[in-house]
Amino acid sequence: MTSIDRTAYPRFARRLSEEELEERYSLTTDEYRFVDVNARSESGRLTLAIMLKARQQLGYFPGCSEVPDQVRRHLIEKLGLPEETLLLDEVRQKSVLYRYRQRLRTWLESLSFAAIGRAEIRARVWDAAHTMSDPADLINVAVDALTKACIELPAFSTLDRFVGNIRRQVHKEMYDGINADLDAGQRSVLDDLLVVPEGERITEFARLKKTPGPATLTYIRNWTQRLTDLEAILDPSPFVDPRATPKCTSENGSVMSVLPCGRARRWRESCKRRFAYASRLPPPDPR
């Protein structure tokens, strides 16, 4: 699962200044009126006000247990409620919370992710996945698209799975396209990289994917030689779309330095194996 800290997925700040609280979580005249009309009890008014401001600031309705006490106390003060006022119980009062969400969607003219979110962002993420490889970047694209369309963000885990599924489909499409363009000789060259040569203990693939050492002259020379060795395997330029250069950069680093050696022996799906080499970066510009 992608780390939420590496994405733009919004969350409550750990601590806000008084100025930030006033700017982000204070109610306008119309918002006071909306809360008073749609909630009767003290807990209901507080909960509805927090849901309203959270939807505006975060782009979704967080659980009541996720609301920082600082935000709760600020809105208690603004609404003139007793200090001990609690939020509604998420388990016992589900129907009330559901009604609040529906009324807020109507008032804010927003849509739930379940209603239209997937269809809205699928094309955006699909296009982005052809030039981006990091799941965090694709999640950021989805967050931006949903926010601009006034659609609620789903739970982070839901968005992560949705983006990951599209990313896998795009990769499969790329692998199939490259695999189809290889002739028999090129396939044989790449297949041989997973065979342990006689007298050796590891495959050529395992040797090539070793991570670079420290930035010393010796290691730099070794790395330069590795680029030469890679160039000698197969010229990738006929197989790689120039628009996907950022993706080639990312795939080159992840495949060559992260994939465990033992797993490489079982990595028998030919299209993936061939893409790993065909999509590597060209040699550095000698200038």
Side-chain angles (χ1 to χ4, degrees):
M1 182 174 177
T2 308
S3 171
I4 192 172
D5 294 329
R6 298 180 55 241
T7 72
Y9 191 86
R11 292 176 291 168
F12 282 113
R14 293 184 178 179
R15 185 72 183 174
L16 294 172
S17 66
E18 290 300 322
E19 292 77 13
E20 290 171 326
L21 277 172
E22 189 69 30
E23 178 183 353
R24 300 180 190 180
Y25 293 101
S26 290
L27 299 168
T28 66
T29 301
D30 288 342
E31 290 169 349
Y32 275 117
R33 187 178 300 113
F34 174 83
V35 170
D36 289 340
V37 168
N38 290 280
R40 297 179 180 179
S41 68
E42 293 176 343
S43 290
R45 293 177 64 213
L46 175 60
T47 301
L48 182 58
I50 286 179
M51 291 174 68
L52 167 61
K53 301 311 294 185
R55 174 62 182 86
Q56 291 173 334
Q57 294 299 316
L58 305 181
Y60 59 92
F61 297 115
C64 293
S65 60
E66 300 174 40
V67 179
D69 190 59
Q70 185 185 26
V71 172
R72 184 185 66 84
R73 286 187 282 104
H74 175 77
L75 282 169
I76 283 176
E77 179 184 345
K78 293 299 179 181
L79 292 167
L81 300 174
E83 292 184 4
E84 64 275 10
T85 303
L86 299 176
L87 298 174
L88 294 179
D89 189 286
E90 292 182 280
V91 177
R92 297 180 179 178
Q93 296 169 295
K94 281 185 178 181
S95 60
V96 178
L97 294 173
Y98 175 80
R99 185 170 68 251
Y100 285 173
R101 285 192 292 269
Q102 293 298 99
R103 291 182 180 179
L104 282 167
R105 286 168 184 149
T106 301
W107 196 66
L108 296 171
E109 298 181 339
S110 67
L111 296 169
S112 69
F113 182 77
I116 195 175
R118 287 178 171 81
E120 180 71 25
I121 65 172
R122 180 177 176 78
R124 287 280 305 274
V125 176
W126 181 276
D127 290 341
H130 284 81
T131 56
M132 300 177 180
S133 185
D134 192 331
D137 292 333
L138 298 176
I139 288 174
N140 292 345
V141 170
V143 168
D144 180 65
L146 290 170
T147 301
K148 289 180 178 177
C150 203
I151 298 173
E152 291 166 26
L153 301 180
F156 180 79
S157 58
T158 300
L159 199 58
D160 187 42
R161 287 193 300 271
F162 178 75
V163 165
N165 183 51
I166 293 178
R167 180 173 177 266
R168 285 189 293 273
Q169 293 178 36
V170 170
H171 283 190
K172 182 63 164 56
E173 178 189 78
M174 290 182 170
Y175 299 150
D176 289 343
I178 291 172
N179 186 53
D181 290 338
L182 293 171
D183 59 36
Q186 291 167 330
R187 290 192 179 95
S188 178
V189 168
L190 295 176
D191 288 340
D192 287 345
L193 295 174
L194 293 183
V195 178
V196 179
E198 186 176 351
E200 299 290 341
R201 300 181 61 183
I202 62 175
T203 65
E204 184 66 9
F205 177 81
R207 185 185 72 81
L208 289 172
K209 80 179 192 69
K210 288 182 179 178
T211 55
T216 63
L217 183 59
T218 299
Y219 279 105
I220 291 175
R221 286 172 178 167
N222 291 341
W223 196 247
T224 301
Q225 182 59 45
R226 180 174 307 181
L227 291 175
T228 302
D229 293 343
L230 283 168
E231 181 68 21
I233 296 171
L234 194 67
D235 180 13
S237 55
F239 309 98
V240 179
D241 187 335
R243 294 171 298 177
T245 298
K247 192 169 194 69
C248 294
T249 305
S250 179
E251 292 295 341
N252 179 58
S254 61
V255 172
M256 296 302 292
S257 63
V258 176
L259 191 64
C261 182
R263 182 181 172 191
R265 298 176 65 88
R266 299 186 297 273
W267 197 30
R268 296 302 182 184
E269 189 178 348
S270 62
C271 58
K272 292 183 180 180
R273 180 170 64 239
R274 289 157 189 151
F275 177 79
Y277 287 97
S279 66
R280 66 164 187 79
L281 281 175
D285 191 328
R287 293 177 296 178

